[in-house]
């Protein structure tokens, strides 16, 4: 579904490649969380995948085709500033459809109403983002990401600003959405337990510059419940991941 082949990236103001010949691939329909210390380059991987940044070298493919040769191949939910405050919720959701330009206004409103119902936000179409709670805004931003119609979704710390209870119910909600819509999801988080609960395998950044992602399988079937997190092998996995993050080196 997604494949990085010896991809490198250097920010113009830096004198080294923050991403250095990185190769990895992700199967269709999988759910992977990416974890790694702050500033290690996780969001940079997403910004190259969605075309906001151009790799210095290497190739990124989605569905076997280089991303430079296609459009609308992924949905992206950035780390912050998810909704435009001057647009209503409905107008925010209309954005990806307006950009694609393949729908009439009437068709757009039908798609938006269906997407809002899907995330439990019926009746919020004409509200402004600031009138919604944090969890509702996240669901609206997710609905907008879904409306891109892409099979690959890149979610950058979507739940980090939420309180604990809202966050765990959003995690359950997201797993349900993923299973119903059969998308491929890459999800950046700093929360090791969140990474375990969501992922089929966790992709760990062990060093900066990023030369590899270490894939750690999560030995739990879906659907999952939070009780599964108390299983001894899962508690052990959590400690293993925390240790890996603590040992992260800067070369
Ligand atoms: N536009 C930029 N110009 C120069 N350096 C940048 C730029 N954007 C990010 N960086 C640097 O690149 C590194 C990686 O940034 P990135 O946003 O990918 O980190 P991250 O792993 O997502 O961190 P966090 O977990 O804090 O979100 C950081 O050290 C950051 O300072
Ligand atoms: Mg980031």
């Amino acid at each position: 579904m997604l494949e990085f082949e010896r991809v490198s990236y250097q920010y113009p103001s830096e004198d080294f490649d923050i991403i250095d010949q990185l190769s990895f691939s992700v199967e269709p329909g999988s759910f992977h969380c990416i974890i790694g210390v702050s500033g290690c380059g996780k969001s940079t991987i997403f910004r190259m995948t969605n075309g906001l940044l151009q790799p210095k070298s290497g190739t990124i493919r989605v569905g076997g085709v280089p991303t430079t040769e296609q459009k609308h191949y992924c949905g992206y939910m950035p780390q912050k500033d998810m909704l435009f405050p001057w647009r209503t919720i409905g107008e925010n959701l209309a954005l990806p459809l307006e950009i694609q330009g393949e729908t009439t206004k009437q068709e757009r409103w039908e798609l938006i109403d269906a997407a809002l119902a899907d995330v439990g936000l019926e009746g919020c179409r004409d509200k402004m983002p600031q009138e919604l709670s944090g969890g509702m805004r996240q669901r609206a931003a997710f609905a907008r990401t879904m409306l891109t119609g892409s099979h690959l979704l890149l979610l950058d710390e979507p739940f980090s600003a939420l309180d604990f209870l809202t966050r765990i119910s959003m995690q359950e909600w997201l797993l349900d959405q993923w299973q119903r819509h059969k998308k491929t999801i890459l999800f950046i988080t700093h929360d090791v337990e969140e990474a375990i609960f969501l992922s089929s395998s966790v992709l760990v950044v062990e060093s900066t510059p990023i030369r590899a992602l270490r894939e750690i399988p999560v030995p739990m079937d879906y659907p999952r419940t939070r009780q599964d997190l108390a299983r001894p092998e899962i508690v052990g996995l959590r400690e293993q991941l925390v240790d890996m993050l603590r040992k992260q080196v800067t070369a």
Side-chain angles (χ1 to χ4, degrees):
M1 183 68 196
L2 170 66
E3 188 189 0
F4 269 52
E5 189 188 334
R6 297 168 74 84
V7 173
S8 296
Y9 185 79
Q10 178 181 8
Y11 282 104
S13 57
E14 304 283 353
D15 58 2
F16 66 100
D17 293 347
I18 175 109
I19 312 290
D20 187 9
Q21 307 254 357
L22 173 65
S23 298
F24 72 95
S25 63
V26 162
E27 294 295 310
S30 57
F31 196 136
H32 297 284
C33 287
I34 301 178
I35 60 172
V37 296
S38 185
C40 70
K42 303 178 297 296
S43 298
T44 306
I45 293 176
F46 277 13
R47 289 195 287 265
M48 284 195 294
T49 305
N50 66 27
L52 281 175
L53 298 176
Q54 307 304 322
K56 179 170 151 184
S57 59
T59 310
I60 302 172
R61 293 188 189 84
V62 171
V65 180
T67 53
T68 46
E69 293 170 17
Q70 46 180 332
K71 286 198 278 187
H72 313 313
Y73 53 84
C74 75
Y76 171 53
M77 196 164 149
Q79 201 164 342
K80 41 183 174 312
D81 307 319
M82 289 135 355
L83 298 169
F84 291 116
W86 59 89
R87 283 187 163 223
T88 64
I89 293 298
E91 289 163 353
N92 265 285
L93 264 66
L95 268 173
L97 302 170
E98 287 170 11
I99 291 167
Q100 286 169 20
E102 290 158 11
T103 41
T104 64
K105 206 166 179 183
Q106 176 66 28
E107 286 167 341
R108 280 206 287 279
W109 284 120
E110 283 168 15
L111 287 167
I112 289 163
D113 283 339
L116 284 173
D118 199 29
V119 300
L121 290 178
E122 305 89 339
C124 291
R125 193 176 93 171
D126 299 322
K127 289 202 160 75
M128 302 307 284
Q130 50 276 24
E131 294 178 82
L132 269 52
S133 73
M136 291 163 87
R137 278 201 295 273
Q138 299 294 51
R139 279 183 279 155
F142 182 79
R144 184 177 66 184
T145 310
M146 293 290 276
L147 279 174
T148 58
S150 313
H151 290 293
L152 175 65
L153 303 183
L154 310 175
L155 311 179
D156 195 345
E157 298 192 36
F159 303 154
S160 60
L162 302 176
D163 69 89
F164 179 71
L165 283 179
T166 309
R167 191 160 72 230
I168 62 176
S169 67
M170 289 296 289
Q171 290 165 1
E172 287 161 357
W173 173 85
L174 179 61
L175 278 184
D176 180 57
Q177 294 277 320
W178 169 65
Q179 286 178 311
R180 286 200 288 122
H181 294 283
K182 309 244 181 296
K183 305 276 185 186
T184 306
I185 298 185
L186 279 181
F187 182 115
I188 296 175
T189 179
H190 283 279
D191 181 338
V192 167
E193 203 166 83
E194 176 170 80
I196 292 173
F197 185 62
L198 296 174
S199 305
S200 44
S201 62
V202 181
L203 303 176
V204 187
V205 177
E206 288 187 288
S207 64
T208 308
I210 303 183
R211 300 197 177 91
L213 297 177
R214 172 110 170 260
E215 184 166 356
I216 308 284
V218 177
M220 275 200 282
D221 294 330
Y222 297 99
R224 297 173 174 178
T225 67
R226 290 195 58 81
Q227 281 75 37
D228 295 328
L229 292 172
R231 282 167 27 194
E233 70 272 28
I234 300 301
V235 173
L237 175 62
R238 190 181 68 202
E239 293 314 308
Q240 182 193 347
L241 292 174
V242 170
D243 276 348
M244 287 172 77
L245 291 181
R246 282 203 178 135
K247 284 195 195 111
Q248 174 164 348
V249 289
T250 305

